[in-house]
Amino acid sequence: MNKVIREAVKTLIECSTEAKQADDIIVQYYGFKTVQEKIAFLKGMFDVEVVGHEHETTQTDYECMLNAVVNRKWM
């Protein structure tokens, strides 16, 4: 994906009003369907991670990470 388009999609995700909207953007532009793919994307694009877990990643982990990205603008 072109760097300009990648940055535009990143901005769309960051400007989302809720995690569901951001998830829809990720699925639409990148086609990721599994939680593992989506978490890997968030780690690479936004340098986020859930700390203190020593288990298999879950949907809840993904939602927490995505909420952190979306809510970062309010910090």
Side-chain angles (χ1 to χ4, degrees), residues 14-48:
E14 291 172 327
C15 292
S16 296
T17 56
E18 58 184 30
K20 172 67 173 122
Q21 183 182 28
D23 180 63
D24 290 344
I25 293 167
I26 292 168
V27 171
Q28 178 183 356
Y29 284 92
Y30 291 96
F32 300 137
K33 293 185 174 34
T34 68
V35 171
Q36 288 76 19
E37 288 175 315
K38 293 175 181 181
I39 287 175
F41 169 77
L42 290 178
K43 286 180 177 182
M45 178 74 86
F46 298 100
D47 192 31
V48 296

Side-chain angles (χ1 to χ4, degrees), residues 49-61:
E49 193 155 344
V50 176
V51 295
H53 290 298
E54 294 181 15
H55 60 76
E56 191 72 25
T57 55
T58 65
Q59 181 69 28
T60 303
D61 294 334

